[in-house]
């Protein structure tokens, strides 16, 4: 008997007789409020446990011999598609002019609506320019004679007339696609550098009349992962009665994103600074939009992780137990307050 009694004395939750328990309206109100609070906290903790968080780690970039994908989506509202070219050069000495790999151009009218699609291929461009004739040849006889006198062939003449007509109509161009370049520092730029300098002079009447206003809808160096923000997305640069060259200096950071289910997404994030150089009358260069990029020697690994079940149980016990204890204290305070008010009211009534 002594041992059993000793064990009973350790009971931290003694039971009272049923007839000794008193239920009140205030206690019921506090209980309902406490249950609502505990249910809310439970779902909050469950959501917190099921959600993932990211851990960042850094290491030396050991990748070699891979290509760097550059995703481009830009609009040039003041330049027709026929004059725009995408050129790239890297530190290895590789120089490509008027790239035609997975790049498309969309012709836009003065309101920004699409009026035609062209694949960036030298052959397609040349055939298109050579075989498309203007129906109003008689109206342009004088212009044709002038161009012939300057030594331009028929293809160049058609090109000049076509572009001038597009400029008069307010045509623009949207350039989008993917460039695959070597994984070394370099630059790519969008400009009128693909044109013969004399043709460009005949079209624009000088470098100061080339308007390289542009909107960057998307510029990235790989697929996107959750939480990635590309700083140039949504950039708008509009020039009014001036011209010049835009240069974006980009620092690319190789990145690996590891999902919770162990899938690895290789990509890149970047930071950027911007510089604009106004065009002067005596400048020999032509306006362009340059993207000069360099790669960081450090790779960032971002891993998704989930909190442990033990951590979830610990937090759940803490918030539910704390709420239960707090509602118990509140019930006792309310009961005593109501009891004191009732006693005071009864004393005054007796007097």
């Amino acid at each position: 008997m002594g041992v059993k009694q000793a064990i009973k004395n350790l009971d931290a939750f003694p039971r009272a007789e049923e007839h000794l328990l008193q239920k009140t309206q205030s206690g019921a109100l506090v209980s309902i409020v406490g249950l609502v609070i505990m249910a809310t906290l439970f779902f909050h903790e469950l959501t917190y446990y099921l959600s993932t968080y990211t851990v960042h780690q850094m290491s030396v970039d050991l990748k070699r011999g891979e290509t760097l994908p550059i995703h481009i989506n830009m609009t040039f509202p003041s330049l027709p598609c026929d004059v725009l070219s995408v050129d790239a050069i890297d530190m290895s000495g590789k120089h490509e002019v008027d790239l035609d790999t997975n790049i498309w151009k969309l012709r836009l009218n003065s309101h920004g609506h699409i009026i035609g699609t062209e694949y960036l291929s030298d052959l397609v461009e040349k055939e298109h320019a050579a075989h498309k004739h203007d129906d109003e040849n008689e109206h342009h006889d004088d212009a044709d004679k002038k161009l012939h006198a300057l030594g331009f062939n028929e293809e160049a003449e058609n090109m000049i007339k076509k572009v001038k007509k597009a400029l008069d109509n307010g045509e623009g161009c949207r350039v989008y696609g993917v460039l695959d370049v070597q994984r070394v520092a370099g630059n790519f730029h969008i400009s009128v550098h693909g044109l013969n300098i004399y043709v460009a002079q005949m079209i624009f009447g000088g470098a100061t009349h080339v308007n390289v206003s542009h909107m960057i809808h998307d510029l990235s160096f790989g697929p996107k992962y959750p939480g990635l923000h590309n700083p140039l997305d949504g950039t708008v640069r509009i020039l009014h009665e001036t011209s010049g060259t835009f240069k974006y200096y980009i620092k690319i950071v190789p990145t690996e994103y590891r999902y919770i289910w162990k899938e690895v997404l290789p990509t890149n994030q970047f930071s950027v600074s911007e510089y604009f150089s106004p065009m002067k009358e005596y400048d020999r260069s032509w306006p362009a939009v340059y993207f000069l990029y360099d790669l960081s020697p450090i790779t960032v690994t971002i891993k998704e992780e989930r909190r442990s079940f033990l951590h979830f149980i610990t937090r759940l016990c803490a918030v539910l137990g704390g709420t239960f204890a707090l509602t118990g204290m509140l019930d006792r305070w309310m009961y005593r307050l109501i009891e004191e008010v009732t006693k005071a009211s009864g004393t005054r009534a007796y007097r």
Side-chain angles (χ1 to χ4, degrees), residues 45-58:
E45 289 300 321
L46 182 61
T47 304
Y48 182 70
Y49 165 68
L50 294 176
S51 64
T52 59
Y53 65 98
T54 55
V55 176
H56 292 67
Q57 298 175 340
M58 290 186 292

Side-chain angles (χ1 to χ4, degrees), residues 69-336:
I70 304 175
H71 299 261
I72 306 170
N73 190 349
M74 297 178 63
T75 294
F76 290 82
S78 302
L79 289 176
C81 289
D82 291 284
V83 300
L84 283 177
S85 66
V86 182
D87 311 324
I89 185 171
D90 57 46
M91 290 186 65
S92 67
K94 187 177 181 181
H95 188 190
E96 297 183 71
V97 180
D98 204 5
L99 289 168
D100 59 356
T101 306
N102 299 325
I103 297 292
W104 281 264
K105 294 189 293 186
L106 298 176
R107 292 175 56 207
L108 307 176
N109 62 18
S110 57
H111 302 290
H113 300 143
I114 298 172
I115 55 177
T117 306
E118 296 180 11
Y119 185 70
L120 262 185
S121 168
D122 290 342
L123 184 61
V124 174
E125 291 286 341
K126 290 176 180 178
E127 288 180 353
H128 187 70
H131 295 294
K132 183 174 179 181
H133 298 282
D134 200 320
D135 292 334
E136 303 177 38
N137 285 331
E138 294 182 2
H139 179 72
H140 295 289
D141 280 346
D142 294 338
D144 291 347
K145 292 178 182 178
K146 181 179 178 181
L147 293 173
H148 276 298
L150 291 173
F152 292 110
N153 58 26
E154 184 180 355
E155 183 180 344
E157 294 171 13
N158 291 335
M159 175 72 168
I160 293 171
K161 289 187 292 184
K162 179 184 175 184
V163 173
K164 283 188 173 182
K165 182 178 179 181
L167 287 170
D168 292 339
N169 294 334
E171 276 193 28
C173 186
R174 187 164 185 167
V175 181
Y176 71 97
V178 181
L179 294 176
D180 288 314
V181 298
Q182 297 187 66
R183 199 178 179 83
V184 294
N187 78 78
F188 68 95
H189 53 276
I190 304 176
S191 63
V192 298
H193 294 170
L195 292 176
N196 179 288
I197 188 171
Y198 299 107
V199 172
Q201 189 71 30
M202 285 295 300
I203 292 173
F204 296 103
T208 56
H209 299 127
V210 179
N211 189 340
V212 291
S213 297
H214 59 278
M215 292 168 278
I216 304 176
H217 309 290
D218 175 56
L219 181 71
S220 58
F221 296 85
K224 294 184 178 181
Y225 60 83
L228 174 65
H229 171 68
N230 293 321
L232 284 177
D233 289 1
T235 299
V236 178
R237 298 291 180 265
I238 303 298
L239 299 176
H240 299 283
E241 299 180 358
T242 186
S243 187
T245 296
F246 289 90
K247 291 184 178 181
Y248 296 96
Y249 297 91
I250 297 171
K251 191 70 172 182
I252 301 173
V253 181
T255 304
E256 284 187 350
Y257 192 89
R258 298 178 180 270
Y259 289 94
I260 193 72
W261 54 85
K262 305 304 181 182
E263 181 185 349
V264 179
L265 178 68
T267 184
N268 300 278
Q269 52 185 320
F270 67 93
S271 61
V272 63
S273 57
E274 178 184 349
Y275 175 73
F276 174 70
S277 175
M279 187 63 59
K280 304 293 193 304
E281 288 289 342
Y282 52 82
D283 284 343
R284 299 175 64 89
S285 61
W286 287 74
V289 179
Y290 282 85
F291 298 90
L292 302 98
Y293 57 88
D294 192 8
L295 285 92
S296 168
I298 301 298
T299 293
V300 175
T301 301
I302 306 173
K303 296 196 298 183
E304 285 186 345
E305 294 189 358
R306 182 168 287 147
R307 297 159 188 88
S308 68
F309 183 72
L310 184 60
H311 183 266
F312 168 65
I313 293 298
T314 303
R315 288 177 59 95
L316 193 62
C317 291
V319 296
L320 297 184
T323 304
F324 185 80
L326 183 61
T327 53
M329 293 171 57
L330 182 61
D331 175 54
R332 288 193 295 272
W333 292 340
M334 290 184 64
Y335 177 76
R336 290 175 183 175

